């Protein structure tokens, strides 16, 4: 094959078509032509790769380590880049299915192009681009916003000493600390309302006027957490802690150099809404917010976190309105979100999955109160756009509004007898996250359940099998297995065939590693750190998940901008060749990881 013929072919293949004539001629000169007979292996899993392969003629099947078919490639498709980007060893096995001609780009030249050509770096790296964005308060880390040396005082010091210290350090709050343990906070408002207004003796200990156990943040929380807590709870000072140690303080003054984005205003408006109709007006602005956040190139986990924060605020506001109408609850209770809200992964279209845990002191006579509260909140959520769960996994279903002792028995039975229904219920309920009420009702149960489930190898095997029921939409010849009929014919479902398979894997990894994280991406990161999955496997899967989730959000934003309601269905033809190639690569990674956990953990059907 002449160099001129290779150049002519490369001019039709992305990203080679982005090269200058001189660069293209140089690259064409180092390609090696290799021909394979039908059935001949090109390389095997674990082998050192000689370079990147490009199909010129024929077809190549890509096999996972267990031998399962994950892809069938044709002309202009590349393969081998995953191994080259991960240390040079093949992560799959490839074989020609007919007489096939390939062009091989040597490893050294591949890495030279990655280093020198932005187009190559973007095309062959499934990771996120480094596109810069202006400062955005909601996506800043709390560690970057807080006062790094909080002013502190011990609780036995006098109020007069505290006031003098605030004056001398020009601060409006003090952290009250004893033996390096954070106890509470005192603000200038406390000085006014708790000292001056009632004539309290200034020589009294400052510990007597402090707010004990205030709401706190962690350094790795987001700026959106600051805004949402301040707006919802109407407070102006937030301590930042690591364990029991005070490491910083964030005040409203610290935020003045940032401009709050609209997610904060939606949280504020939801927190102050007096009626369900007012809340519906707030949630009606979510699609525009989503389009704005996606257009600003925010990572998908930031977008979904901000969207979920609004649902959390709406839920808490509905609980307050319900209590205002029904009176105070007869016993402590906890409202929990499940599903996508529980994982903090809501997008522009979400149903509701929720439940209530009741204090074991509850009596039969108390149950009508909680039935009415659950109905009020579930109906309210439906009215504002979080439609009823099709499977009735809601607190308004008496089955999911029960004392803690009943919930403990639920989990025990699901683990002991993991039939298909138990697997489904456990999958939903393992994504629980407290929203409003007595959080203590959940803490002990969460740890007990995770420990019990992880010890039961049969249950784990069944949960793995359940996680494999959602498959990525990989076709053999046309790239994607699309929906064959109906309203969404020739589309792929980016929820059930895209993000759900990864969410299922993340849940299983959390179960195996006894990890308390609920968010899917956080579970994958924690699973890598705990050694549940290999570093290379975790890196591949996280990058694949990022790509799938981001394309899903971009598709929803595109629908919103065109004046349509967002959904989870996308026609592959709406994507560029570049996007289709990388989305398919991401699906291949997910399929490979599914196969790996199914083989290594003995999934039960």
């Amino acid at each position: 094959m002449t160099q001129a013929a290779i150049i002519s072919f490369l001019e039709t293949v992305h990203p080679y078509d982005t090269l200058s004539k001189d660069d293209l001629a140089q690259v064409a000169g180092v390609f090696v032509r290799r021909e394979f007979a039908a059935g001949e292996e090109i390389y095997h899993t674990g082998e050192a790769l000689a370079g990147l392969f490009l199909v010129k003629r024929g077809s190549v099947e890509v096999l996972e380590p267990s031998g399962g078919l994950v892809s069938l490639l044709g002309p202009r498709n590349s393969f081998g880049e995953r191994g080259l980007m991960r240390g040079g060893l093949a992560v799959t096995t490839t074989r020609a299915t007919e007489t096939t001609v390939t062009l091989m780009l040597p490893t050294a030249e591949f890495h030279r192009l990655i280093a020198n050509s932005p187009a190559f770096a973007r095309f062959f790296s499934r990771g996120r681009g480094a596109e810069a964005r202006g400062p955005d308060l909601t996506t800043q880390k709390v560690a970057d916003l807080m006062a790094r040396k909080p002013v502190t005082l011990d609780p036995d010091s006098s109020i007069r000493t505290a006031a003098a210290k605030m004056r001398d350090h020009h601060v409006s709050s003090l952290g009250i600390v004893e033996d390096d343990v954070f106890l509470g906070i005192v603000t200038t408002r406390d000085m006014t309302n708790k000292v001056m207004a009632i004539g309290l003796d200034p020589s009294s200990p400052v510990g007597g006027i402090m707010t004990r156990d205030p709401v706190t943040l962690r350094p790795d929380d987001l700026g959106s957490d600051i805004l949402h807590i301040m707006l919802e709870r109407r407070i102006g000072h937030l301590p930042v802690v690591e364990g029991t140690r005070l490491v910083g303080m964030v005040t409203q003054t610290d935020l003045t150099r940032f401009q709050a984005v609209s997610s904060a205003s939606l949280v504020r408006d939801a927190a102050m809404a007096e009626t369900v109709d007012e809340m519906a007006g707030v949630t009606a602005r979510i699609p525009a917010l989503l389009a704005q956040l996606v257009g600003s190139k925010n990572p998908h986990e930031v977008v979904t976190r901000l969207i979920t924060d609004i649902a959390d605020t709406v839920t808490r506001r509905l609980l307050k309105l319900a209590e205002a109408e029904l009176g105070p609850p007869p016993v402590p209770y906890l409202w929990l979100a499940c599903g996508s809200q529980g994982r903090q992964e809501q997008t522009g279209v979400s149903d509701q999955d929720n439940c209530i845990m009741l204090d074991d002191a509850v009596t039969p006579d108390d149950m009508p109160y909680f039935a009415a509260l659950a109905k009020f909140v579930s109906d309210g959520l439906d009215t504002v756009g979080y439609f009823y769960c099709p499977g009735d996994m809601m607190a308004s279903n008496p089955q999911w509004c029960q004392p803690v002792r009943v919930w403990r028995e639920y989990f025990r039975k699901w683990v002991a007898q993991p039939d298909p229904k138990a697997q489904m219920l456990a999958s939903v309920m393992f994504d629980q996250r407290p929203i409003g009420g007595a959080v203590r009702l959940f803490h002990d149960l969460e740890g007990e359940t995770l420990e019990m489930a992880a010890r039961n190898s049969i249950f784990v095997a069944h949960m793995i099998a359940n996680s494999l029921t959602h498959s990525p939409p990989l076709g053999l010849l046309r790239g994607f297995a699309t929906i064959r009929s109906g309203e969404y014919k020739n589309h792929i479902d980016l929820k059930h065939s895209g993000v759900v398979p990864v969410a299922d894997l993340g849940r299983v990894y959390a179960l195996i590693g006894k990890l308390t994280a609920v968010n899917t991406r956080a579970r994958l990161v924690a699973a890598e750190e705990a050694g549940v999955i290999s570093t290379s496997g975790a890196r591949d899967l996280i990058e694949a998940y990022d790509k799938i989730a981001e394309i899903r959000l971009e598709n929803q934003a595109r629908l919103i901008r065109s004046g349509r309601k967002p959904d989870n269905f996308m026609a592959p033809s709406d994507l560029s060749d570049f996007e289709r190639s990388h989305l398919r690569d991401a699906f291949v990674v997910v399929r490979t990881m599914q196969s790996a956990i199914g083989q290594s953990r003995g999934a039960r059907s």
Side-chain angles (χ1 to χ4, degrees), residues 148-280:
R148 295 186 179 276
K149 293 183 178 180
V151 183
T152 64
L153 199 65
D154 67 83
D156 294 326
S157 297
S158 70
I159 292 172
R160 181 179 287 109
T161 301
K165 196 161 192 177
M166 286 186 187
R167 179 200 62 199
D168 295 341
H169 287 83
H170 305 287
V171 296
S172 57
S173 64
L174 294 174
I176 306 302
V177 175
E178 187 173 43
D179 296 330
D180 209 29
V181 175
F182 175 60
L183 301 179
I185 183 175
V186 170
T187 69
T188 52
R189 179 178 294 181
D190 294 324
M191 293 292 185
T192 301
N193 296 341
K194 298 179 181 180
V195 181
M196 298 299 296
I198 64 174
L200 185 65
D201 185 354
S203 63
S204 301
V206 71
I209 65 166
M210 72 177 177
T211 299
R212 293 183 176 274
D213 301 319
V215 178
T216 62
L217 295 165
R218 299 183 304 273
D220 59 352
D221 283 334
L222 299 176
S224 64
D225 295 315
I226 302 171
L227 284 169
H228 295 173
I229 293 172
M230 285 185 173
L231 291 168
E232 185 177 350
R233 298 175 182 259
R234 303 178 190 180
I235 56 179
H237 302 78
L238 282 170
V240 183
V241 300
E242 285 184 332
T244 61
R245 189 168 61 91
L246 179 69
V247 296
M249 188 77 72
V250 177
T251 71
Q252 289 177 338
T253 304
D254 297 322
L255 310 182
T256 55
R257 70 181 186 276
F258 291 96
Q259 181 180 1
V261 298
S262 57
S263 63
S265 65
L266 264 67
V267 166
R268 178 198 63 209
D269 293 348
M272 299 178 66
E274 295 296 333
T275 66
V276 173
D277 286 343
E278 287 182 18
M279 283 185 226

Side-chain angles (χ1 to χ4, degrees), residues 5 34 61 81 137 175 188 214-215 238 260 308 316 342 359 374-375 459 495 507 530 533 543 563 567 581:
R34 297 186 62 180
E61 59 182 4
E81 67 271 15
L137 170 61
T188 52
V215 178
L238 282 170
T308 305
R316 284 190 287 267
D359 190 283
K375 186 176 188 306
F459 176 77
K495 177 181 178 181
R507 189 181 303 110
I533 47 177
E543 290 179 359
D567 59 40
S581 172

Side-chain angles (χ1 to χ4, degrees), residues 250-542:
V250 177
T251 71
Q252 289 177 338
T253 304
D254 297 322
L255 310 182
T256 55
R257 70 181 186 276
F258 291 96
Q259 181 180 1
V261 298
S262 57
S263 63
S265 65
L266 264 67
V267 166
R268 178 198 63 209
D269 293 348
M272 299 178 66
E274 295 296 333
T275 66
V276 173
D277 286 343
E278 287 182 18
M279 283 185 226
V282 174
T283 56
R285 291 147 56 192
I286 289 177
L289 171 64
L290 183 143
Q292 173 191 327
L293 293 171
V294 173
S296 298
K297 305 298 183 184
N298 287 288
H300 68 89
E301 69 271 21
V302 171
V303 177
T304 56
R305 170 66 179 275
L306 297 180
I307 297 296
T308 305
D309 283 350
I310 299 167
D312 292 354
T313 302
V314 167
T315 304
R316 284 190 287 267
R317 186 60 181 154
L318 285 168
L319 288 169
K320 289 183 179 179
L321 293 178
E323 290 184 17
E325 180 173 305
L326 300 171
V331 298
Y333 74 93
L334 177 63
W335 184 282
L336 300 102
C338 310
S340 60
Q341 185 184 359
R343 297 190 304 272
Q344 296 180 301
E345 293 167 7
Q346 287 191 315
T347 64
V349 51
S350 295
D351 62 354
Q352 55 174 294
D353 294 288
N354 45 59
C355 62
I356 294 179
M357 290 183 180
L358 305 171
D359 190 283
D360 282 337
V362 69
T363 68
D365 290 340
D366 297 329
M367 296 307 292
Y369 174 94
F370 292 108
L373 180 139
K375 186 176 188 306
F376 184 102
V377 177
S378 290
D379 288 351
L381 289 171
D382 181 71
T383 298
V384 304
Y386 303 101
F387 53 87
Y388 295 123
C389 172
D392 203 19
M393 302 284 293
M394 298 181 297
S396 54
N397 180 342
Q399 184 177 5
W400 310 126
C401 178
Q402 293 291 335
V404 172
R405 64 178 180 273
V406 175
W407 280 101
R408 185 173 280 108
E409 184 63 16
Y410 281 165
F411 281 107
R412 189 195 67 77
K413 287 183 179 178
W414 294 338
V415 171
Q417 299 175 341
D419 57 31
K421 183 178 180 181
Q423 295 168 36
M424 182 272 292
L425 293 173
S427 294
V428 174
M429 296 303 177
F430 273 124
D431 293 348
Q432 288 175 324
R433 183 171 59 87
I435 301 297
V439 178
R440 63 175 176 78
L441 297 176
F442 180 64
H443 281 166
D444 289 345
L445 182 61
E446 178 186 32
E448 291 172 18
T449 300
L450 199 55
E451 181 70 30
M452 173 178 59
R455 285 200 311 264
N456 190 316
S457 59
I458 295 176
F459 176 77
V460 172
H462 278 283
M463 288 295 288
I464 290 172
N466 185 65
S467 74
L468 305 181
T469 57
H470 294 101
S471 298
L474 287 169
L476 295 181
L477 297 175
R478 298 179 61 191
F480 298 101
T482 59
I483 298 169
R484 296 184 179 181
S485 60
E487 179 182 0
Y488 297 107
K489 181 179 180 181
N490 297 328
H491 288 62
I492 55 178
D493 184 342
L494 288 170
K495 177 181 178 181
H496 291 101
S497 299
V499 296
V500 167
V502 187
D504 289 343
L505 285 172
R507 189 181 303 110
V508 170
Y509 295 145
L511 177 61
I512 293 170
K514 304 177 186 177
L515 309 173
T516 57
V518 177
N519 174 266
T520 296
R521 199 176 194 278
R523 280 171 165 170
L524 300 181
V525 172
E528 176 188 1
E529 293 175 349
V532 176
I533 47 177
S534 67
T535 298
S536 61
R539 198 173 302 164
D540 276 348
L541 188 55
I542 290 170

Side-chain angles (χ1 to χ4, degrees), residues 10 66 101 403:
L10 292 179
S66 63
V101 174

Side-chain angles (χ1 to χ4, degrees), residues 62-64 68-72 92 474-476 584 588 591-592:
V62 180
L63 307 172
E64 58 196 8
L69 179 66
V70 296
S71 188
L72 186 64
T92 57
L474 287 169
L476 295 181
R584 196 174 193 285
V588 169
R591 173 76 64 82
T592 301

